[in-house]
Amino acid sequence: MSRRLRTLMAALCALPLAFAAAPSAHAADPTTMTNGFYVDPNSSARRWVAANPGDGRAAAINASIANTPMARWFGSWSGTIGTATGAYVGAADYQDKLPILVAYNIYNRDYCGGHSAGGAASPSAYASWIAQFAGGIAARPAIVVLEPDSLGDYGCMTQAQIDEREAMLAGALAEFNRQAPNTWVYMDAGNPRWADAATMARRLHEAGLRQAHGFSLNVSNYFTTAENTAYGNAVNNELAARYGYTKPFVVDTSRNGNGSNGQWCNPSGRRIGTPTRTGGGAEMLLWIKTPGESDGNCGVGTGSTAGQFLPEVAYKMIYGY
């Protein structure tokens, strides 16, 4: 069955029938509307390989990283956001592949950590930005990871700021459900060492998790898939006990091949993990952070900025040293 026919059938099936309850706004399954995951042709790893074909590290980085499907992150650097997301999912749709996008522009982003501080200028500016983000995707199939770290660290925030953040996330989910019916949105839920399962379940629920397809774990971190699966199951146990529902979850496996050594900011000795796939203990194992991209001016990335591609770090991560 062609991609366009599958899309049309999914759209028709999503129409509410007379005298029947309308189906869930996020009921469509984008994995069945596509044929595998999309490889970003303009990822930082691919750009580096193309620019450095004679480098002795290029072949390994090309084979092990650059051609693995992984997420593209969108923020203030992306220009007109609806145009940017539309072009990206359109390119993936043309190839009948499923793109992975990260929305990373919430107001007061990384407020307590600071390495990736920034984001939209105000809650209203964020609401406009995320509405355009969703509108760019429209009815085409996609996966979106919503605002990494946003629920992980409330330590330096006032209750008013927490309420404001959770309202922004709930508003974002409403936009995706309204404008992007074939997108699965995963709210980010940090990692197993950030907040206990009960705390994270409460934060997810208060930020509107019921509207989302699921939640994401380990984004830009290093904890093993087994640790994350246990944590995700624990969060679901709390959700079931407190609120009467559970959600699927995905795990960022891009850099968790050796697990964590307790450091989160460019630690040495880490290794790439299981390439992007469905299943594997979670609903999906995804490369959300690009291996070799810096976490900030720290660790083995001293002197770099967050998001900068470091070929030596990428090369060592392939082999785990």
Side-chain angles (χ1 to χ4, degrees):
M1 187 184 296
S2 72
R3 166 185 53 79
R4 289 180 176 82
L5 181 57
R6 288 199 300 271
T7 303
L8 176 61
M9 289 180 67
L12 289 173
C13 291
L15 294 174
L17 300 177
F19 311 113
S24 167
H26 43 80
D29 182 349
T31 67
T32 65
M33 300 171 66
T34 48
N35 182 27
F37 294 93
Y38 184 54
V39 176
D40 183 356
N42 196 41
S43 69
S44 56
R46 277 208 162 191
R47 291 198 309 270
W48 182 85
V49 168
N52 298 275
D55 191 294
R57 302 165 293 188
I61 291 173
N62 186 58
S64 297
I65 296 176
N67 285 293
T68 300
M70 50 193 160
R72 179 180 287 190
W73 293 53
F74 292 83
S76 59
W77 58 86
S78 301
T80 303
I81 189 58
T83 301
T85 57
Y88 191 64
V89 299
D93 194 43
Y94 182 78
Q95 295 185 19
D96 199 18
K97 298 296 184 183
L98 181 58
I100 309 162
L101 300 82
V102 177
Y104 196 53
N105 196 44
I106 200 164
Y107 172 65
N108 275 342
R109 188 182 68 212
D110 199 18
Y111 188 65
C112 298
H115 279 278
S116 298
S122 66
S124 61
Y126 180 70
S128 176
W129 185 86
I130 203 70
Q132 294 172 56
F133 188 116
I137 296 173
R140 291 169 295 201
I143 292 169
V144 170
V145 175
L146 183 62
E147 299 298 340
D149 304 342
S150 58
L151 297 178
D153 187 4
Y154 284 180
C156 68
M157 298 172 70
T158 66
Q159 188 59 49
Q161 289 173 319
I162 291 168
D163 293 345
E164 180 181 69
R165 171 164 293 184
E166 291 177 348
M168 283 187 281
L169 293 170
L173 292 171
E175 288 296 338
F176 283 105
N177 286 339
R178 182 174 71 87
Q179 298 192 72
N182 298 319
T183 293
W184 276 356
V185 180
Y186 296 90
M187 296 188 73
D188 189 61
N191 63 68
R193 306 285 177 85
W194 213 342
D196 63 73
T199 298
M200 184 50 65
R202 175 175 52 79
R203 291 178 184 177
L204 285 165
H205 179 75
E206 290 177 351
L209 178 65
R210 199 183 288 272
Q211 298 182 75
H213 177 74
F215 57 93
S216 57
L217 297 173
N218 204 48
V219 173
S220 299
N221 222 299
Y222 302 87
F223 297 104
T224 65
T225 302
E227 288 176 277
N228 279 285
T229 300
Y231 181 68
N233 290 336
V235 170
N236 269 328
N237 287 340
E238 294 290 342
L239 287 169
R242 294 174 177 223
Y243 310 113
Y245 68 94
T246 62
K247 289 290 185 176
F249 60 88
V250 297
V251 176
D252 183 356
T253 55
S254 59
R255 308 189 296 181
N256 76 347
N258 278 349
S260 172
N261 67 353
Q263 302 298 313
W264 67 269
C265 200
N266 296 322
S268 61
R270 301 309 93 201
R271 191 167 192 161
I272 59 174
T274 303
T276 295
R277 55 162 290 189
T278 57
E283 184 166 49
M284 289 181 274
L285 306 180
L286 304 176
W287 278 23
I288 299 173
K289 174 76 171 182
T290 300
E293 282 193 355
S294 175
D295 296 317
N297 180 16
C298 52
V300 295
T302 299
S304 67
T305 57
Q308 179 181 346
F309 186 74
L310 305 173
E312 186 65 13
V313 172
Y315 183 74
K316 289 180 176 178
M317 202 169 284
I318 293 168
Y319 301 103
Y321 58 81

